[in-house]
Amino acid sequence: MDLTADQNHSRDKKSARAAVRTWRRNLDPDKREQLGQELAQTVIGYLSHSTGVVQKVAAYCSAPDEPSTEPLLAALISEGIEVYLPVCEPGYALSWVEYSPGMEFQPSTMAPVMEPVGEKAGTELFEQINTLIMPALSIDSNGLRLGQGGGYYDRFLPLIADAPVRVAAVVYEHEFVAAGTFDVDAHDQPVDLVFTPQRVHQII
């Protein structure tokens, strides 16, 4: 799939989302699993060598058509890192629940995702979070994210703008694209770095 576009002819978000989703749905399951394992190695390598002591990370459980985060969650726990997962709240807000292997999940009442069941934390948690890892369909070279369209993260990120947390998004390597490949809005929030199975892209 080629997501690139002439900067004067960027894809509208609807078309860009459709292109990414089609490619992801057609990805071989074994290949998706392999790339998920590589993604975990990339993230753990970054956290081990590019940051201080990491005690807490916010992440997410991948949907079936997203890059797999199952190996990543397992690797974070294996490293002794506390992991927190999002819960969608009314008003497009997010709260966070600590993840543990085998914990209970239930369908969200606000979005088509499964969510962890447990005690919830709010923005105060992010004074202790090293890195927030969130999903995306594509990321451009300015760090602007093509999301699923729900707007939860774009509303949440300004609330933690003053917290000492790195904001990262996960995509496949070809989904990290040139600026202008897809339309952006004034409220879109940039990320600090991009994790793909192959490498880490720092946004400057």
Side-chain angles (χ1 to χ4, degrees), residues 29-30 49 51 53 65-66 73 81 84 88 108 116 118 121 131 141-142 147 155 164 176 182 188 203:
D30 290 339
H49 298 105
T51 68
V53 176
D65 60 350
E66 292 178 326
L73 297 181
I81 298 171
Y84 292 82
C88 297
S108 171
T131 304
S141 56
N142 290 329
R155 290 172 172 85
F176 180 66
F182 53 83
D188 290 343
I203 305 298

Side-chain angles (χ1 to χ4, degrees), residues 10-14 16-17 138 140 142-155 157-158 179-191:
S10 61
R11 288 178 183 260
D12 65 84
K13 287 189 173 183
K14 182 177 180 181
R17 287 186 179 109
S138 186
D140 74 12
N142 290 329
L144 293 170
R145 170 178 165 271
L146 180 68
Q148 296 285 2
Y152 284 90
Y153 284 98
D154 284 325
R155 290 172 172 85
L157 292 181
T181 301
F182 53 83
D183 293 341
V184 298
D185 297 320
H187 65 264
D188 290 343
Q189 299 292 313
V191 301

Side-chain angles (χ1 to χ4, degrees), residues 48-191:
S48 298
H49 298 105
S50 302
T51 68
V53 176
V54 178
Q55 296 180 326
K56 297 182 181 182
V57 166
Y60 66 98
C61 284
S62 55
D65 60 350
E66 292 178 326
S68 177
T69 61
E70 290 181 21
L72 172 59
L73 297 181
L76 291 168
I77 294 296
S78 179
E79 292 289 322
I81 298 171
E82 293 180 19
V83 180
Y84 292 82
L85 304 179
V87 174
C88 297
E89 304 284 6
Y92 297 95
L94 291 175
S95 60
W96 301 84
V97 173
E98 185 174 359
Y99 168 75
S100 61
M103 72 183 304
E104 180 184 356
F105 282 76
Q106 65 184 13
S108 171
T109 60
M110 308 301 300
V113 296
M114 298 295 289
E115 296 177 333
V117 176
E119 182 178 354
K120 298 178 183 179
T123 55
E124 72 283 353
L125 174 68
F126 285 79
E127 293 299 324
Q128 307 170 53
I129 292 288
N130 174 279
T131 304
L132 165 60
I133 302 170
M134 62 183 183
L137 290 171
S138 186
I139 297 284
D140 74 12
S141 56
N142 290 329
L144 293 170
R145 170 178 165 271
L146 180 68
Q148 296 285 2
Y152 284 90
Y153 284 98
D154 284 325
R155 290 172 172 85
F156 182 76
L157 292 181
L159 302 179
I160 60 168
D162 295 330
V165 55
R166 294 176 176 87
V167 178
V170 169
V171 293
Y172 291 117
E173 182 63 29
H174 67 270
E175 295 165 352
F176 180 66
V177 297
T181 301
F182 53 83
D183 293 341
V184 298
D185 297 320
H187 65 264
D188 290 343
Q189 299 292 313
V191 301

Side-chain angles (χ1 to χ4, degrees), residues 39-53:
L39 173 67
Q41 294 172 12
T42 296
V43 175
I44 294 298
Y46 170 81
L47 294 177
S48 298
H49 298 105
S50 302
T51 68
V53 176

